[in-house]
Amino acid sequence: MKIDARHLEIIAAIVDNGGLTEGAEALGKSQPSVSRTVAMLEARVGARLFEKNRRPLQPTDLCQALAVEGRKVLAANQTASALVRRYIDGKSGVVRVGGTPFFMDGVISGMIAEFQRAYPEIRIEQSYAYAADLSRQLDSNALDVAICPMDPAALPEKLEFSALLDGRNVIACSPTHPLAGKPSLRLSEIAPYPWIAPPVESPLYQDLRSILAGIGMTDFKVSFSGGTLASILNILARSDALTVLPYSVVFMLRRQQALAALPIRINHPERSLGQMWSPAQSDRPSVRRFRRFIDAEFSNLRTTIMKHEQNSLWRR
Amino acid sequence: MKIDARHLEIIAAIVDNGGLTEGAEALGKSQPSVSRTVAMLEARVGARLFEKNRRPLQPTDLCQALAVEGRKVLAANQTASALVRRYIDGKSGVVRVGGTPFFMDGVISGMIAEFQRAYPEIRIEQSYAYAADLSRQLDSNALDVAICPMDPAALPEKLEFSALLDGRNVIACSPTHPLAGKPSLRLSEIAPYPWIAPPVESPLYQDLRSILAGIGMTDFKVSFSGGTLASILNILARSDALTVLPYSVVFMLRRQQALAALPIRINHPERSLGQMWSPAQSDRPSVRRFRRFIDAEFSNLRTTIMKHEQNSLWRR
DNA sequence: GAGATTATATAACCTTGAGTTATGAAAATA
DNA sequence: TATTTTCATAACTCAAGGTTATATAATCTC
């Protein structure tokens, strides 16, 4: 004897609301509809569900037992509805975000922390890669959002990009470095120092090479490579090494007094840090919400940077 | 966002069976039916439930969460189906059985115990009353079965009666009573002894009066009245009192050696102990099963009684 | 107990979800 | 690449269940 789950719901509603009319109302259905459904059910089951000739409908023992199950169905239903509501409202779900390592570690991870304070039910799956890989992953729907430096002119087909911040890089060193704090610097002055090399695929690496080419150095001393931001900060603090980092990373770390930026302008292609995504992949509400959140965070960050530069409290 | 419980079932079935086809099969539906239902659901919810372009259908996170609720619905459904199955099979439910006190206590309660060993999920609601009341309660559907002595000719309209046993009563006393064990007895010999009087509404009371009228006693000494069978047995055991009890009650108590029956024939109206019920009240499977069980028990009891009488092991 | 009130059932009609088979299209597999 | 597997679509049918209007039956009230 197969019983329809919606019938169990109806039974529970009638029993719990003390009558057919009230039950129908609680279910958002008309009274005749429920009445007939009950009649059909009783006929199919071959047993009374409600006592005969009682006017506030009185459940039989069997009906009471079925109502117990009906309540479970109703509860599951409500839970499911809530789940869906939160999901389409972008308050639950998953966001797969990938980006270039230093930028993710130095800037984005902090914003993710803020995001998860606001939306604790959204799970973030973070990964690291460079632009080419990120594009591919967006295309194959292995990623929802990529955050990386990008020349908008070189944007791959079928991907969209929204700039968040100027993409320039700076030469960074320890605040205790001999060159730190000098108001101006000639390129040749940096020649003696060892370098912490960014990964070869990184745009930072290209910037490093162009800097050194600019002062005629084709061979340079790499004292360390392969580390993430945390390692690099430790190395820098205890050495005279130099490295190339995104300006924004250095800015974000200003409070920790872990880094100094040398006043040397690095030339590089027209490049912005920004979000990249595939409009072909219809994005989930959680992803939409994440992207908007990141936009807002960077909007704040840009004004913060502007203020700092105006006040000259912190110079590059 | 209201979600239909049956949709949750479908989701759970697909997820748990590793694919749409298998899920449809598990649900006993055709594959296209389930496919379309899923498509409609996704459209209504406005979110993917299964990853795009994956051939064994791969649930999304949201889908997994909904499947959890779907499993609850499926479980409730199965429980409900089992409940109904047991109910219509007469293996669960309620039986409201009423009867005359001594007969219920002395004979029926033992059978009910057997019945509940066989059908532990059937609840028995027992009550005591005499024929007139029982008829009324059957009519008003306050009772499913009545078990009482009845003259089939005097059966109320609209009630049915099935005889179980000869309805005669006997004069009972303690096995240690001065009259007990005598092979024959004249009516006058019982005159000196006090009586335990059955309730006035009881047919036993009428029998007692007719016995005493037969020996010219209009006034008789009532030493005790108002007790149930258990009390009466205790009183009888410790006194020389006499009382009137159904023959079958005395028979059932033969093993306990608690009673003796005097060899005096009591005249009474043509009367049988039997079951009475109202065919107007469509009876539940549990009630049907109970009635059949009682019939079978009495069938056994009748042969047992016959054997005993043939073997003369126990005389009345 | 008659009348008023409330609760449920029935009627007539319509919409839609869901069942079917047949078949097409796209992944997965060999 | 060819084959198999798995899912989607199409076209049709049916019955459950939605509606409003109204009848009927319990219960309440005086």
Side-chain angles (χ1 to χ4, degrees):
Chain A
M1 176 58 59
K2 178 75 174 63
I3 296 222
D4 194 327
R6 76 191 348 163
H7 292 160
L8 295 177
E9 292 182 303
I10 290 178
I11 287 174
I14 295 175
V15 172
D16 291 347
N17 291 280
L20 189 142
T21 306
E22 292 87 342
E25 195 169 356
L27 290 168
K29 304 181 194 296
S30 69
Q31 172 265 317
S33 175
V34 174
S35 173
R36 192 178 26 153
T37 301
V38 169
M40 289 179 57
L41 225 192
E42 284 190 326
R44 279 185 31 154
V45 168
R48 300 218 96 76
L49 295 174
F50 296 93
E51 303 292 351
K52 201 167 55 178
N53 297 344
R54 307 310 278 305
R55 225 48 233 268
L57 233 48
Q58 189 104 8
T60 63
D61 278 51
L62 174 61
C63 183
Q64 292 278 15
L66 293 179
V68 172
E69 304 308 312
R71 281 177 209 117
K72 296 181 190 170
V73 175
L74 281 171
N77 218 311
Q78 285 190 285
T79 307
S81 296
L83 278 171
V84 171
R85 216 177 306 116
R86 285 207 304 275
Y87 182 89
I88 62 180
D89 207 32
K91 290 180 177 164
S92 78
V94 183
V95 179
R96 297 165 303 170
V97 51
T100 48
F102 296 151
F103 193 55
M104 292 300 283
D105 284 350
V107 182
I108 302 300
S109 59
M111 294 181 177
I112 289 177
E114 288 302 311
F115 182 75
Q116 294 202 304
R117 271 188 4 155
Y119 305 105
E121 291 184 66
I122 296 182
R123 191 174 76 237
I124 304 288
E125 292 182 1
Q126 180 180 299
S127 59
Y128 299 100
Y130 296 101
D133 245 345
L134 291 170
S135 301
R136 238 170 286 132
Q137 291 181 39
L138 287 173
D139 269 335
S140 68
N141 196 25
L143 214 53
D144 297 310
V145 190
I147 298 180
C148 59
M150 173 64 56
D151 176 359
L155 184 67
E157 280 285 324
K158 301 186 302 181
L159 293 186
E160 289 203 20
F161 183 79
S162 113
L164 296 169
L165 215 56
D166 183 26
R168 75 179 181 280
N169 296 321
V170 294
I171 297 178
C173 60
S174 157
T176 62
H177 193 281
L179 300 181
K182 290 203 176 181
S184 76
L185 216 57
R186 269 166 301 146
L187 266 179
S188 58
E189 289 183 75
I190 66 173
Y193 297 100
W195 287 87
I196 295 179
V200 180
E201 319 94 78
S202 164
L204 299 170
Y205 185 78
Q206 290 308 318
D207 285 350
L208 172 55
R209 296 210 46 132
S210 73
I211 291 165
L212 297 173
I215 58 173
M217 289 182 68
T218 55
D219 225 24
F220 54 98
K221 183 183 163 201
V222 172
S223 65
F224 181 85
S225 72
T228 64
L229 184 60
S231 293
I232 287 172
L233 291 180
N234 281 325
I235 306 286
L236 280 182
R238 292 166 176 76
S239 71
D240 285 345
L242 301 173
T243 193
V244 183
L245 283 177
Y247 168 78
S248 53
V249 171
V250 178
F251 181 82
M252 290 303 280
L253 289 165
R254 69 194 183 281
R255 294 209 194 284
Q256 282 96 315
Q257 312 247 320
L259 284 181
L262 298 187
I264 292 177
R265 176 157 293 275
I266 298 176
N267 295 318
H268 59 67
E270 196 54 50
R271 190 161 61 193
S272 291
L273 286 164
Q275 302 189 79
M276 190 163 59
W277 70 94
S278 166
Q281 318 290 349
S282 70
D283 48 20
R284 277 156 279 137
S286 55
V287 175
R288 238 188 330 264
R289 193 176 278 281
F290 180 78
R291 283 220 314 268
R292 277 193 284 123
F293 189 92
I294 293 293
D295 278 335
E297 287 285 300
F298 271 95
S299 171
N300 292 341
L301 180 55
R302 282 194 301 271
T303 60
T304 308
I305 290 177
M306 257 174 48
K307 279 185 197 156
H308 272 265
E309 293 186 344
Q310 280 173 357
N311 298 349
S312 295
L313 292 176
W314 182 86
R315 298 169 182 281
R316 67 197 134 79
Chain B
M1 176 59 59
K2 178 77 172 64
I3 295 223
D4 194 329
R6 78 193 344 165
H7 293 161
L8 295 177
E9 291 183 305
I10 290 178
I11 287 174
I14 295 175
V15 172
D16 291 347
N17 292 279
L20 189 143
T21 307
E22 293 86 341
E25 196 168 355
L27 290 167
K29 304 182 193 297
S30 69
Q31 172 265 318
S33 175
V34 173
S35 173
R36 193 179 26 157
T37 302
V38 169
M40 288 181 57
L41 224 191
E42 284 190 327
R44 277 185 33 154
V45 167
R48 301 219 96 75
L49 295 175
F50 297 93
E51 304 292 353
K52 202 166 55 177
N53 299 343
R54 307 310 279 304
R55 225 51 233 263
L57 234 48
Q58 190 104 5
T60 62
D61 277 50
L62 175 60
C63 184
Q64 291 279 14
L66 293 179
V68 172
E69 303 309 312
R71 282 177 210 117
K72 294 180 191 170
V73 175
L74 281 171
N77 217 310
Q78 285 191 286
T79 308
S81 296
L83 279 171
V84 171
R85 214 176 307 115
R86 285 207 303 276
Y87 182 88
I88 62 179
D89 207 33
K91 290 178 178 166
S92 77
V94 183
V95 178
R96 297 165 301 171
V97 52
T100 47
F102 297 151
F103 192 54
M104 291 300 283
D105 284 350
V107 182
I108 301 301
S109 58
M111 294 180 177
I112 289 177
E114 288 302 310
F115 182 74
Q116 293 202 304
R117 272 194 353 161
Y119 305 104
E121 293 184 64
I122 297 181
R123 191 174 76 236
I124 304 288
E125 293 183 0
Q126 179 180 301
S127 61
Y128 299 100
Y130 296 101
D133 247 342
L134 291 170
S135 302
R136 240 170 284 133
Q137 293 183 37
L138 287 173
D139 269 335
S140 68
N141 196 24
L143 215 54
D144 297 310
V145 190
I147 298 181
C148 60
M150 173 66 56
D151 176 0
L155 183 68
E157 280 285 325
K158 302 187 298 179
L159 292 187
E160 289 203 20
F161 183 79
S162 112
L164 296 169
L165 215 57
D166 182 27
R168 75 179 182 279
N169 296 320
V170 295
I171 298 178
C173 60
S174 159
T176 62
H177 193 279
L179 300 180
K182 289 202 177 181
S184 75
L185 215 56
R186 270 164 302 145
L187 266 178
S188 57
E189 291 182 75
I190 66 174
Y193 298 101
W195 287 87
I196 295 179
V200 181
E201 319 95 75
S202 165
L204 298 169
Y205 186 78
Q206 290 308 317
D207 284 350
L208 171 54
R209 297 208 44 131
S210 72
I211 291 163
L212 297 172
I215 58 173
M217 290 180 68
T218 55
D219 228 22
F220 53 99
K221 183 184 164 198
V222 171
S223 65
F224 181 86
S225 72
T228 64
L229 183 60
S231 294
I232 287 173
L233 291 180
N234 281 325
I235 306 285
L236 280 182
R238 291 165 176 78
S239 73
D240 285 344
L242 300 174
T243 192
V244 184
L245 284 175
Y247 168 78
S248 51
V249 170
V250 179
F251 181 82
M252 291 301 281
L253 289 165
R254 70 193 182 283
R255 293 208 196 283
Q256 282 95 314
Q257 311 247 321
L259 284 179
L262 298 186
I264 292 176
R265 175 156 292 275
I266 298 175
N267 295 318
H268 58 68
E270 196 54 49
R271 190 163 58 194
S272 291
L273 286 164
Q275 301 188 80
M276 189 163 61
W277 70 94
S278 166
Q281 319 289 351
S282 70
D283 49 18
R284 277 156 279 140
S286 55
V287 175
R288 240 191 324 267
R289 194 175 278 280
F290 180 79
R291 283 219 314 268
R292 278 192 282 123
F293 188 92
I294 294 292
D295 278 335
E297 286 285 299
F298 272 95
S299 172
N300 293 340
L301 180 56
R302 283 194 300 272
T303 60
T304 307
I305 291 177
M306 255 173 46
K307 277 185 199 157
H308 272 267
E309 293 186 344
Q310 280 173 356
N311 298 349
S312 297
L313 292 176
W314 182 87
R315 297 166 183 286
R316 68 197 133 79

